[in-house]
Amino acid sequence: MKKIILSSLLACSLFGMVESKIKDISVISQDFTNFAIDLNDTFAKHNKEFLERYYKPWDENFVVNRFNFEFGARYIAKKTYFGDNKQEISSSFKEKITLNTNPSAFPSVYQNGITTRNTNCRVMPTNKPFFYDFKNNGGGYPFDYLQNSLLHINTPIKVLHYSLDKAFAFVETPYVSGWINSNDIAFISNDDIKKLKNMKLITPKVDDVSIIDSENNFISKAFIGATLWKNENEKVYLFRGDEKNKAIFTLTNQSKDEFAVIPELPTKENLAKIAKQLYGQNYGWGGVNENRDCSMLLRDMYTPFGIFLERNSNMQANEKKEEIVSFEGKTSEEKIKIIKENAIPFATFLYMKGHIMLYIGTFNDEITIFHSFWSIKTLNKGRHIVGGSYVTSLKPGIEMEEYDHENGTLLDKLVSMRVIGITKKEQKIN
């Protein structure tokens, strides 16, 4: 019997089952219909700029930014990183991949393109992970610091350069730049760009949709936040690449009912449905393993509603200065008062350094948020792994004996909030 118990405990440990869910997830309602409200015209001013920003890489006046290209080499040179074998990554390997960027030839290409499958955008042209020390908080899996972002299938890109080995292409996208697998791109003609701009831009209503062509062949998975197009006959199209990396406009076998036309009206029903689709999913730093981190969760959630968000939490929180309310110098009690009096459910982002959360309302008079997060800091530099997208308070895990109170709560660390579509002046906040 002892052997069976020990074996069970070992199995639980190996498969991560020893991590219990925090109290918030059990006590606070995880049903978005209890929080969602009709927002209707709240996002209207943002809807006007969505298409312009989304199609920006195809702009004929697109300006090449060499700083973005050079960022990766500077980034890996100044810190110590570890590989998936937990050994320090050598200077020689850093030099090797830096040489592979072929810096003296940049930019060697200037062509409009599109991603033909879900693909990883990397800080440098390598698929090898770069972790911080596994012994430290923020080190090890899933925090691969060369993982910039997952790019959805059919993301508009400007192709600017190839690595020396031709395995990677450096691209600018609507919201991030970096290196992607050169087999995951296709070049798109100006005529096709004009054609699709006259069609309706759509995104899946359900996460993880299988895209099938008109001959019933599988093309790719598509997630909420990915974009396809619908013509006047309600037929759904996407681009795939041919053997010469030319983008081919392809008819799919999808039903129009599987997709929302951007912008979808932000009714309480629509908001709750999208949030439900994204709830309880695994956390994925930079979109690793086709999972979402905190900023990708918000970016994908608001794409159906025509809100263009940048890819990292800092930019999402601080982009529209007129919408931002600073919590600098505020006590926790003052922050709570400001949030309760001025935040709008499903239209307010709460921000702390390195993490962004969606305010969805209150539960038993306590501020309630939806966010994707990896863990909660515990005593002795430990971590309690949560690893997913859940509804919590601003003090998740505080009931645990091992909770690190000196590290502080999310509430303690809040530095600002941003109310989408509503200015600080309109909220009458001093």
Side-chain angles (χ1 to χ4, degrees):
M1 179 63 73
K2 288 183 178 180
K3 287 184 178 180
I4 294 175
I5 293 173
L6 287 172
S7 296
S8 298
L9 289 173
L10 177 60
C12 288
S13 177
L14 287 172
F15 290 97
M17 294 167 60
V18 293
E19 295 284 13
S20 59
K21 281 189 170 66
I22 55 176
K23 184 178 179 181
D24 277 359
I25 299 173
S26 301
V27 173
I28 297 175
S29 173
Q30 306 291 297
D31 184 351
F32 295 101
T33 61
N34 292 329
F35 300 97
I37 63 172
D38 288 320
L39 294 177
N40 298 324
D41 297 331
T42 303
F43 299 155
K45 64 178 68 175
H46 285 275
N47 295 158
K48 296 176 182 178
E49 67 178 18
F50 182 89
L51 291 179
E52 179 183 350
R53 297 184 68 182
Y54 190 69
Y55 289 135
K56 183 180 178 181
W58 294 340
D59 193 302
E60 61 182 12
N61 298 316
F62 182 87
V63 177
V64 178
N65 188 331
R66 189 176 183 90
F67 178 87
N68 290 346
F69 170 75
E70 295 175 340
F71 171 78
R74 294 193 302 271
Y75 184 76
I76 66 170
K78 63 184 181 181
K79 291 187 178 180
T80 300
Y81 296 95
F82 295 78
D84 49 12
N85 62 353
K86 299 187 178 182
Q87 303 302 306
E88 184 177 336
I89 292 174
S90 66
S91 297
S92 61
F93 183 72
K94 291 181 181 180
E95 291 169 1
K96 178 182 177 181
I97 60 174
T98 299
L99 179 64
N100 194 35
T101 66
N102 194 16
S104 61
F106 179 84
S108 56
V109 190
Y110 189 85
Q111 286 187 267
N112 294 326
I114 198 163
T115 57
T116 54
R117 58 176 62 89
N118 301 308
T119 188
N120 290 319
C121 185
R122 307 286 291 167
V123 175
M124 291 291 276
T126 178
N127 289 319
K128 300 290 186 183
F130 272 44
F131 299 114
Y132 287 164
D133 194 336
F134 283 69
K135 299 175 184 177
N136 298 331
N137 277 326
Y141 182 87
F143 301 105
D144 172 8
Y145 285 88
L146 289 196
Q147 178 68 9
N148 210 341
S149 180
L150 175 73
L151 300 181
H152 291 297
I153 184 173
N154 276 202
T155 299
I157 57 175
K158 183 76 77 177
V159 183
L160 297 176
H161 194 54
Y162 282 100
S163 57
L164 276 175
D165 61 10
K166 305 298 183 184
F168 290 85
F170 184 85
V171 303
E172 292 278 359
T173 80
Y175 48 87
V176 73
S177 60
W179 298 87
I180 67 175
N181 188 314
S182 56
N183 288 328
D184 294 346
I185 65 175
F187 297 105
I188 186 170
S189 69
N190 289 332
D191 287 342
D192 278 338
I193 290 175
K194 289 179 182 178
K195 181 193 302 182
L196 66 85
K197 284 187 175 181
N198 289 321
M199 298 172 69
K200 292 179 179 178
L201 190 66
I202 58 177
T203 189
K205 292 181 180 179
V206 178
D207 221 29
D208 200 16
V209 173
S210 289
I211 304 298
I212 309 298
D213 68 16
S214 58
E215 297 179 353
N216 214 33
N217 298 309
F218 175 79
I219 299 175
S220 174
K221 290 286 189 177
F223 305 97
I224 291 171
T227 53
L228 290 83
W229 292 268
K230 185 171 68 171
N231 69 5
E232 67 276 6
N233 296 319
E234 303 290 295
K235 299 294 184 180
V236 176
Y237 288 82
L238 56 58
F239 282 94
R240 62 199 307 186
D242 66 9
E243 65 278 1
K244 295 183 179 180
N245 285 350
K246 178 183 177 181
I248 305 299
F249 213 37
T250 304
L251 175 65
T252 74
N253 200 28
Q254 309 303 128
S255 166
K256 62 181 177 62
D257 297 328
E258 296 178 275
F259 300 87
V261 176
I262 301 172
E264 177 99 309
L265 189 65
T267 64
K268 59 184 178 182
E269 292 83 8
N270 288 337
L271 288 163
K273 284 178 182 178
I274 291 294
K276 182 179 179 180
Q277 285 293 316
L278 302 177
Y279 173 83
Q281 295 193 2
N282 289 355
Y283 175 89
W285 170 265
V288 68
N289 298 328
E290 297 183 340
N291 296 319
R292 295 178 175 91
D293 56 18
C294 62
S295 56
M296 187 171 181
L297 173 71
L298 294 187
R299 188 174 203 288
D300 286 351
M301 181 171 173
Y302 283 89
T303 291
F305 304 107
I307 302 294
F308 183 93
L309 295 176
E310 296 290 352
R311 181 56 185 88
N312 69 63
S313 59
N314 179 58
M315 295 181 72
Q316 288 180 355
N318 294 298
E319 181 185 22
K320 299 286 185 181
K321 299 299 182 186
E322 70 278 9
E323 298 177 350
I324 299 165
V325 177
S326 173
F327 292 141
E328 183 178 1
K330 304 295 184 183
T331 65
S332 293
E333 290 72 22
E334 289 171 330
K335 293 177 187 178
I336 291 171
K337 185 175 186 293
I338 291 172
I339 294 169
K340 286 185 175 181
E341 290 180 355
N342 299 280
I344 299 174
F346 287 83
T348 304
F349 299 158
L350 301 179
Y351 174 68
M352 57 174 269
K353 184 178 180 181
H355 189 54
I356 194 160
M357 302 148 273
L358 175 66
Y359 170 80
I360 63 172
T362 60
F363 186 82
N364 290 339
D365 201 38
E366 189 167 17
I367 292 168
T368 306
I369 58 174
F370 178 44
H371 58 142
S372 183
F373 61 113
W374 178 243
S375 64
I376 297 165
K377 288 186 178 181
T378 55
L379 296 173
N380 300 317
K381 298 184 178 180
R383 283 186 177 269
H384 180 96
I385 307 299
V386 178
S389 51
Y390 296 100
V391 175
T392 75
S393 69
L394 287 171
K395 300 177 181 180
I398 198 168
E399 76 283 353
M400 299 186 299
E401 289 185 10
E402 66 273 25
Y403 188 86
D404 186 355
H405 291 272
E406 288 188 8
N407 179 63
T409 65
L410 299 180
L411 175 62
D412 295 331
K413 297 177 183 178
L414 285 184
V415 297
S416 66
M417 78 174 186
R418 176 186 171 192
V419 185
I420 305 299
I422 308 295
T423 66
K424 180 178 177 181
K425 184 177 181 180
E426 290 169 329
Q427 295 179 72
K428 299 178 181 179
I429 299 175
N430 296 322

